[in-house]
Amino acid sequence: MLKGKTAIITGSTSGIGAGIAKSLAEAGCHVVLNGFGNTEEIQALRSSLEKEFGVTVLYNGADMTKPDEIEAMLLDAEKTLGSIDIIVNNAGIQFVAPVDNFPVEKWDAILSINLTSAFHMIRVATPVMKRQKWGRIINIASAHALVASPFKSAYVAAKHGVAGLTKTVALELAEQGITCNAVCPGYVKTPLVEGQIASQAKERGITMEEVVRDVLLGAQPTKKFTTVEDLGALVAFLSSDAAQNITGAIIPADGGWTAH
Ligand code: NAD
């Protein structure tokens, strides 16, 4: 479906990003993995995708808080793989605390990784996509791009910002063969969510089981987690020619959460 295209997925050493990398590799894309983690595990992921799908898989450890590293990663990908066809802005972190007690450095880090890095990725990739007259920009936002939850001021602000960025970029690039869309997952069982179960329990004064049942799945009418495979398939579809006229869309994958 996407044979020979190149895809750069930020934050793809774990969770949703790794699922998207697998799905795009399966569809025939050469892939650049990005994110932090254990070197051996990253190399194992890289070579397993290459072996399974017969595509080239590179790794670049660019820190999404550093614009010069983001730029170097994209330019290196273009030089090595010959194009920049698909960018998936997925890297993200979370921190949960009341707004009047929210650590300033956590606010800055969340805005930088979850929102500003997408701007830099788009800023640098867009001239290449314009020359190619083809491109796909897919921003992994969140149900929190559409609705809020208490104690997540930075995350909700950043994700609402991603929705605004998505719509603006879609309009600017509408006639150039480049689409820009946001995918808005509900809760997905990844390290990012596992890590907040304990802190939510503390902030709300309830048990961890109650957080999963009443807070996480309580938000989702289907009472099911969204999976990384669901999101990988959606990103592959948005990257395909069948999605050529879908742009500026903010697409929930949240078990009905934001239908409330
Ligand atoms: P995760 O913690 O499993 O993965 C996050 C990835 O981002 C990792 O690869 C990590 O190394 C990378 N990363 C973090 N800081 C980075 C930095 N400074 N530079 C480069 N990479 C960095 O999380 P996940 O659940 O897979 O989340 C992925 C995206 O999906 C995030 O944007 C998150 O907000 C969004 N999301 C997640 C859920 C969920 O329920 N898990 C729901 C909605 C949206």
Side-chain angles (χ1 to χ4, degrees):
M1 186 168 75
L2 296 168
K3 206 167 170 22
K5 298 279 190 213
T6 61
I8 300 154
I9 304 124
T10 70
S12 46
T13 52
S14 168
I16 294 169
I20 292 169
K22 183 171 183 199
S23 177
L24 291 178
E26 191 171 13
C29 290
H30 304 301
V31 163
V32 179
L33 298 171
N34 161 260
F36 301 146
N38 175 288
T39 311
E40 278 149 32
E41 283 172 19
I42 294 170
Q43 285 311 322
L45 173 64
R46 202 188 62 70
S47 61
S48 77
L49 292 178
E50 282 196 333
K51 272 201 199 99
E52 194 172 352
F53 303 115
V55 295
T56 302
V57 181
L58 307 174
Y59 166 70
N60 187 303
D63 181 340
M64 288 298 116
T65 64
K66 305 210 166 106
D68 54 336
E69 293 188 15
I70 295 172
E71 182 158 355
M73 174 175 73
L74 286 163
L75 298 180
D76 185 62
E78 188 197 9
K79 206 164 125 202
T80 313
L81 299 173
S83 64
I84 301 175
D85 298 311
I86 301 161
I87 57 170
V88 183
N89 295 314
N90 166 79
I93 59 167
Q94 174 64 285
F95 191 82
V96 179
V99 69
D100 52 351
N101 202 22
F102 208 93
V104 172
E105 67 279 9
K106 292 287 183 195
W107 171 277
D108 289 342
I110 289 175
L111 268 287
S112 173
I113 296 165
N114 296 20
L115 173 60
T116 307
S117 74
F119 158 68
H120 290 299
M121 288 285 294
I122 292 166
R123 179 179 63 78
V124 179
T126 298
V128 181
M129 291 179 172
K130 280 183 180 168
R131 281 200 297 277
Q132 298 168 176
K133 300 187 172 37
W134 198 96
R136 296 285 186 268
I137 300 166
I138 300 163
N139 298 320
I140 305 305
S142 165
H144 284 115
L146 297 161
V147 294
S149 294
F151 313 121
K152 295 185 178 176
S153 53
Y155 188 85
V156 171
K159 295 296 186 180
H160 275 63
V162 169
L165 176 66
T166 301
K167 291 191 251 185
T168 308
V169 170
L171 295 180
E172 290 184 25
L173 301 175
E175 294 184 55
Q176 317 220 33
I178 305 166
T179 66
C180 179
N181 294 293
V183 169
C184 299
Y187 288 106
V188 188
K189 264 210 167 170
T190 66
L192 181 138
V193 162
E194 310 265 6
Q196 67 177 278
I197 293 174
S199 51
Q200 286 261 14
K202 184 164 163 261
E203 292 299 342
R204 291 169 186 269
I206 57 179
T207 66
M208 299 214 289
E209 291 71 31
E210 285 168 330
V211 171
V212 172
R213 191 190 65 218
D214 301 334
V215 180
L216 304 187
L217 295 183
Q220 305 197 163
T222 57
K223 305 283 175 230
K224 289 192 287 191
F225 284 100
T226 300
T227 69
V228 298
E229 290 79 14
D230 298 340
L231 297 168
L234 179 53
V235 168
F237 168 70
L238 288 172
S239 302
S240 73
D241 285 333
Q244 54 89 18
N245 211 25
I246 300 175
T247 196
I250 311 296
I251 303 168
D254 64 3
W257 174 355
T258 54
H260 275 127

